[in-house]
Every structure is written in structure tokens, then in C-alpha cells.
Amino acid sequence: MPKGKRKGKSGGGLSVGRLRADVMGTSDEDSINDNASVISMTSETTVMDEAVAGDEVDEQSQEDLFEEKLCEAIDGITQKSAQGRTSSLDAVSQALTRKYIPEFLIDRRLTVCDGIERCLKKGRGAEQASAAQLAALLCIQLGVGDLTDQVCQDLKPLLTFTILDNSASPLARAKCCWTLAMLGFLDSTDVLADTHRTLLTVFSGSYSKGDGTPASVPAELATLHAAALSAWSLL
């Protein structure tokens, strides 16, 4: 009597997941984990892209705010209050020491230069000192070239006048000495003879007397003479 077909044992067959594990070396659980990893990496990439975009927006916002505040400070140089003008000059100088922005200044150099001229002419003491400092920083930002040469030619006569003005404060005169030397250093058209002569006129006040005895110089003037000598040595 022929034997009947042998029935397979219950549970003896290979599952699809087991077969895939045998053939591909992965299981259903591994596939789920892999899919989760891909999703996680995609999510992280999206978050990073959004963060970078957010940083770019924040950086642009900060740049816009910086320029807005700087424009306000430049406008403040021409206000009626002497204290306000001095504060505005200092604010612009502080901005120029923090950031290199020649492109921004190229279109505004005439406005800044006009403000410096007014403050040197009509201001006194701290205002003149702040104006002189800003003049040097403006030329440093613009660098060597025609634009700086023009600024130097406009401001040097005023700086020289202030340096030789005995009625001006020693602080303002000292700042003007430093700025005059810096402009001479950057001005490609300056032969420096006049600048040397101006600075020499100032610090020669500390020369010894004809009989060899030291000159009697007040502390404020001694500081001025030292500044003039330091500026002269730059050239």
C-alpha cells in the first residue's frame, strides 16, 4: 500500500523574515532599526540646515543693526550739543576699531570728513581730540590710495593749526600730533617735510636750555611733547 504524503511538521517552514535573514544577513528588526536610523539622520540634517539658515538670518540682522547704529552715530556728529558731538565721534571711532568696513565708508567718507572738519574748527578740548582720532581711523579703514590722499589733504591744515595753537588743550594737540603723523604715513603724496617741522616745533619745547639746564615743562605739556616725539619717530 503506497505511503501517504508526509505532512510537514507544524512550524517547521521558514518565515519570510527568517529567509531574508539567511540570504541577506538581516532581520526584520535590523531593517526597522536601519529605517529608523535613516529617518533620524534625515531629521538631524533638516534641523542642521534650519539652524544654519537661522544663523545666517541672525548674522544679517546683526549686520543691519550695526550699520543702522553707525549711521545714527555719523549723523550725530553734526548735532548742536558739543557733548553729543563728542559722544558721536567716539561711537563712530569705537565701531571702526571693532570692524573693518571700507566699503561702507567709501560712500560716507565725505559726510564723516565734513563732520571731523567742523569739530576740529569749532570744537574744543575733548571734541577736537575725538575728531582727530576718528580722522586717523577713517584713513586706516580706507587704506592707501586716492581716497585717503584726498582726506589727508583736507584735514592736514586743520590738524597742523590745532597742534600749533597754544590756546588749544594739550590733550587735543597730542591727539592731533598722532593723527598728523598717521596721515603722513598713509598719504602717498606727502613729502613729510612740513609734518616733521610741525612736530619738531612742539617737542623741541622740552630741549635743554642754552646753558645745559633742563627745561621746566608742566606735566600736561610734557605729555604733549612726548606725543609729538612719538609721532615724529613714526615717520
Side-chain angles (χ1 to χ4, degrees), residues 143-165:
V144 177
D146 294 340
L147 297 180
T148 296
D149 292 347
Q150 185 60 53
V151 173
C152 291
Q153 292 170 17
D154 292 340
L155 296 180
K156 277 183 179 179
L158 286 171
L159 292 168
T160 301
F161 178 82
T162 305
I163 290 171
L164 299 177
D165 182 7

Side-chain angles (χ1 to χ4, degrees), residues 62 66 69 91-101 137 141:
Q62 292 176 2
F66 174 83
K69 294 295 184 182
V92 177
S93 293
Q94 185 178 15
L96 299 190
T97 57
R98 287 175 51 197
K99 209 163 193 177
Y100 181 60
I101 47 172
L137 292 171
Q141 286 271 347

